[in-house]
Amino acid sequence: SPSVSDEGGVLRWEILGGSNYFAVDSNWIKVIGRLDFEALPSDTQTILVRVTDEGGLKDTAQILITVRDVNEAPVFDNAPDS
């Protein structure tokens, strides 16, 4: 659901730049596709967001998102048949 300002108006969020791994969907920041921790250039991703109210007032903020590694089960490429 859309965010509501203090005055009761609807706020519109958008990503202006930074990491290409994230997008705004229904005013939520969501991951696009799959994040591969080992392939990321850094464990911290940065995005620049802008919020606009119904009156046209805008503000921007830089958001830092820390991506954590998970303990994945090993995968064997040449596992012997059982």
Side-chain angles (χ1 to χ4, degrees):
S1 65
S3 300
V4 178
S5 70
D6 292 338
E7 291 77 31
V10 175
L11 300 174
R12 190 182 65 131
W13 296 85
E14 60 186 315
I15 295 178
L16 300 177
S19 175
N20 294 326
Y21 295 105
F22 303 95
V24 174
D25 180 17
S26 300
N27 288 317
W28 288 90
I29 297 174
K30 296 190 175 186
V31 175
I32 299 173
R34 180 177 177 267
L35 284 176
D36 182 351
F37 182 82
E38 285 80 13
L40 291 173
S42 168
D43 65 345
T44 302
Q45 301 295 304
T46 304
I47 57 175
L48 181 65
V49 297
R50 176 170 55 202
V51 61
T52 307
D53 70 10
E54 290 178 328
L57 296 175
K58 300 175 182 180
D59 198 6
T60 59
Q62 184 176 16
I63 299 175
L64 300 175
I65 301 169
T66 301
V67 180
R68 305 248 187 234
D69 197 6
V70 296
N71 188 11
E72 301 165 309
V75 176
F76 298 99
D77 292 331
N78 295 319
D81 293 334
S82 21

